[in-house]
Amino acid sequence: MAYALITGASSGIGRELAALFAADGHDLIITARRQSKLSEVKRTLERRYHVRVETVALDLSEPDAPRNLHDYTVSHGLTVDHLVNNAGFADWTGFLDADWHRQHEMMQLNMARAFRIDVGKCQISSRLRK
């Protein structure tokens, strides 16, 4: 069975996108940092839309998180057909006033980790086509 993988799905835009995919009948893999929030989203979507929802609690700003997410989908036999890479954050401050560590974390999550997840999805998809 094919799934839609949505990162940052515990609140805001990610949660709404998960609801839209569920309303269209897609089973979901949702990920965010807090399992409690993911569990709440899972219960709501499964009850309302009668779809399967897998939850993966992890912090995508961590270096190994994209690999861990990939390993989870492979080890559970989950095929990802749709990817919504919604996880991210912004730091609203002047460039010269910014905290370098926070800026680095933001760039890693918003760009580098997102790229690794996208590449991992492409690798999985290409193997499925063979």
Side-chain angles (χ1 to χ4, degrees):
M1 179 162 290
Y3 285 78
L5 169 60
I6 303 173
T7 68
S10 64
S11 64
I13 293 170
R15 183 179 181 140
E16 293 304 313
L17 289 168
L20 290 171
F21 272 85
D24 284 343
H26 294 278
D27 291 328
L28 304 173
I29 304 165
I30 58 174
T31 184
R33 291 176 294 160
R34 292 180 297 280
Q35 183 61 50
S36 60
K37 289 192 153 224
L38 287 171
S39 295
E40 176 187 320
V41 173
K42 173 186 169 97
R43 280 190 302 277
T44 300
L45 297 177
E46 286 181 337
R47 185 174 6 99
R48 186 173 295 155
Y49 301 109
H50 309 288
V51 296
R52 292 185 60 198
V53 180
E54 297 282 334
T55 64
V56 183
L58 50 77
D59 183 347
L60 285 169
S61 68
E62 297 294 324
D64 291 335
R67 170 58 55 197
N68 294 340
L69 181 56
H70 174 267
D71 291 348
Y72 178 88
T73 61
V74 171
S75 69
H76 286 79
L78 304 174
T79 303
V80 176
D81 275 356
H82 305 283
L83 172 63
V84 178
N85 227 338
N86 178 69
F89 70 93
D91 190 17
W92 303 104
T93 187
F95 180 75
L96 296 176
D97 299 324
D99 173 81
W100 168 245
H101 180 70
R102 183 156 173 81
Q103 293 297 310
H104 180 71
E105 285 180 344
M106 182 177 66
M107 288 185 283
Q108 289 300 309
L109 177 58
N110 294 354
M111 294 179 287
R113 304 292 185 267
F115 175 76
R116 286 183 58 198
I117 292 170
D118 290 342
V119 168
K121 162 68 169 90
C122 292
Q123 290 169 343
I124 292 169
S125 297
S126 68
R127 274 186 265 143
L128 292 173
R129 283 188 228 119
K130 292 181 181 178

